[in-house]
Amino acid sequence: MIDNTAVIGAGIMGRGIALVYALNGCRVRLYDAANQALEKAKTLVAADLALMVDEGLCSDAERRQALDAILVTDSLADAVGSAAFITEAVPEQLELKWQVFASIEGLARPGAIIASNTSTLPLSELARHLEHPERMIITHFFNPAHLVPLVEVVKAVNTSAQAVAEALAFLRRAGKVPVVLKREVPGFIANRLQAAVVREAMFLVHSGVADMHDVDTAMTCGPGFRWSVIGPLETADFGGLDTWQSVMNNLAPELDDSRTAPALIKELNRQGHLGVKTGQGFYAYPTDEVVTDKIRNRDLAFIRLLKLRDK
Ligand SMILES: NC(=O)c1ccc[n+]([C@@H]2O[C@H](COP(=O)([O-])OP(=O)(O)OC[C@H]3O[C@@H](n4cnc5c(N)ncnc54)[C@H](O)[C@@H]3O)[C@@H](O)[C@H]2O)c1
């Protein structure tokens, strides 16, 4: 049974993934190239755990146990040397990930599974320079990793059946809901679905059909509300496939089919409006306190959803 893990990269995703493993009885060595990222991770993980205790998602004893289980380190060798499951969560740059995997492979014990949290890079590319690509896999978590149940699992032709089976068992034990792709495709499943929706949402705002609040409300109170219970394919079954065939025939020619990022997002980027991190995106986030509040409220809502799922 895997009980010794390492997470490489302590940013948004790495610290959340470390928390998932720690809460499920694993020892986690959390490594980052930047010391301040490790310090920040400790503070934020402690805050996430405090909220989980407040909301009854874990006990105070489990909170303390999880905090003790995460050992931050500035030594990659120390992080991966004894780990049976190593998760990489460094920035989405192929060359950087290649360097990190080469270092991990030189330090990890034989048989350790090396998992990448990449959002977009193909596994066969990521594993290109590894001596043992059979032990490499993608486990794609969603932000905030400690609350969103889904993890997409992607294998390449070289990935061993044993690595897939061990990764799935490990993720399930950690309380996650893994889905496995039959073959590699860019964006996996969830980001492709999400990108299709985001493209149309931005098109609707950009072409003046509705304002951004109404587009977001249409999703959270309409399809999004439904989709957290039944997925799009089952939704079609309930609506009637004859009806859905007409809907798709009538709508398909009307939908945005642009082949690059939507005009609206390009325009906001050109103006330096990158969302929460610059204080302005589609909406305004004037202070750090506003952002902290919004994240807390978002996480509280996710926690309530999680509790409903568990009933
Ligand atoms: N942010 C998301 O919503 C999200 C969701 C799913 C997947 N991902 C993927 O997860 C990965 C990490 O994304 P993130 O959002 O956590 O990024 P981030 O920028 O928040 O964190 C990356 C961390 O990696 C560290 N780092 C950089 N070089 C390193 C090295 N050589 N060794 C060790 N640490 C190093 C950085 O200091 C930083 O703390 C990316 O591949 C991203 O595509 C992100």
Side-chain angles (χ1 to χ4, degrees):
M1 191 174 82
I2 293 169
D3 58 6
N4 209 341
T5 65
V7 177
I8 310 308
I12 297 174
M13 297 308 292
R15 62 175 178 258
I17 295 168
L19 177 51
V20 171
Y21 299 163
L23 274 170
N24 286 279
C26 292
R27 194 178 75 149
V28 190
R29 301 256 187 204
L30 179 59
Y31 166 79
D32 198 287
N35 271 325
Q36 62 281 25
L38 291 173
E39 286 311 311
K40 189 172 170 192
K42 280 201 283 189
T43 310
L44 293 174
V45 164
D48 285 339
L49 276 166
L51 187 63
M52 290 174 89
V53 174
D54 285 351
E55 289 300 304
L57 225 52
C58 69
S59 68
D60 196 52
E62 287 166 330
R63 177 189 70 81
R64 267 182 281 122
Q65 203 171 26
L67 273 182
D68 289 346
I70 301 176
L71 303 168
V72 300
T73 174
D74 59 3
S75 154
L76 184 63
D78 179 34
V80 303
S82 54
F85 197 94
I86 301 162
T87 303
E88 165 278 314
V90 304
E92 189 79 342
Q93 298 153 21
L94 183 58
E95 305 249 319
L96 172 66
K97 289 195 192 265
W98 275 341
Q99 282 167 23
V100 170
F101 291 132
S103 309
I104 291 175
E105 192 168 51
L107 297 163
R109 70 188 205 198
I113 294 174
I114 304 176
S116 173
N117 189 51
T118 180
S119 320
T120 53
L121 298 166
L123 179 56
S124 40
E125 265 304 293
L126 286 172
R128 175 185 286 252
H129 304 296
L130 289 188
E131 264 179 57
H132 293 288
E134 71 280 2
R135 62 176 172 166
M136 172 116 192
I137 197 161
I138 290 173
T139 53
H140 180 232
F141 287 75
F142 291 77
N143 181 33
H146 64 296
L147 297 178
V148 182
L150 181 66
V151 181
E152 293 178 300
V153 174
V154 188
K155 55 193 174 171
V157 280
N158 289 329
T159 313
S160 73
Q162 190 188 345
V164 177
E166 283 183 24
L168 287 175
F170 176 59
L171 290 167
R172 288 194 181 110
R173 202 186 97 211
K176 290 294 168 187
V177 181
V179 294
V180 190
L181 272 73
K182 290 187 192 164
R183 65 179 172 86
E184 284 192 78
V185 286
F188 316 139
I189 302 171
N191 278 344
R192 290 179 82 104
L193 295 174
Q194 201 163 241
V197 169
V198 165
R199 178 171 66 180
E200 191 59 30
M202 292 186 188
F203 173 78
L204 289 169
V205 176
H206 191 61
S207 52
V209 173
D211 72 27
M212 58 190 185
H213 292 277
D214 285 339
V215 169
D216 274 350
T217 303
M219 176 52 79
T220 55
C221 295
F225 178 83
R226 256 187 341 207
W227 286 341
S228 68
V229 180
I230 51 167
L233 303 178
E234 205 178 352
T235 298
D237 275 348
F238 280 110
L241 296 185
D242 48 342
T243 305
W244 270 98
Q245 181 172 326
S246 304
V247 168
M248 293 307 291
N249 265 335
N250 294 340
L251 276 189
E254 302 295 326
L255 299 175
D256 185 24
D257 63 354
S258 45
R259 307 297 290 177
T260 64
L264 194 52
I265 203 170
K266 286 187 193 156
E267 181 55 25
L268 286 167
N269 267 287
R270 201 186 54 72
Q271 293 169 13
H273 298 323
L274 309 186
V276 166
K277 63 179 128 177
T278 58
Q280 179 71 51
F282 288 97
Y283 301 94
Y285 310 90
T287 62
D288 286 351
E289 289 69 41
V290 169
V291 173
T292 308
D293 258 19
K294 281 190 179 287
I295 290 176
R296 188 182 157 83
N297 289 336
R298 177 201 70 180
D299 287 357
L300 274 172
F302 288 155
I303 286 172
R304 283 175 196 145
L305 271 180
L306 269 181
K307 286 183 188 164
L308 284 177
R309 282 178 62 89
D310 290 344
K311 275 193 181 146

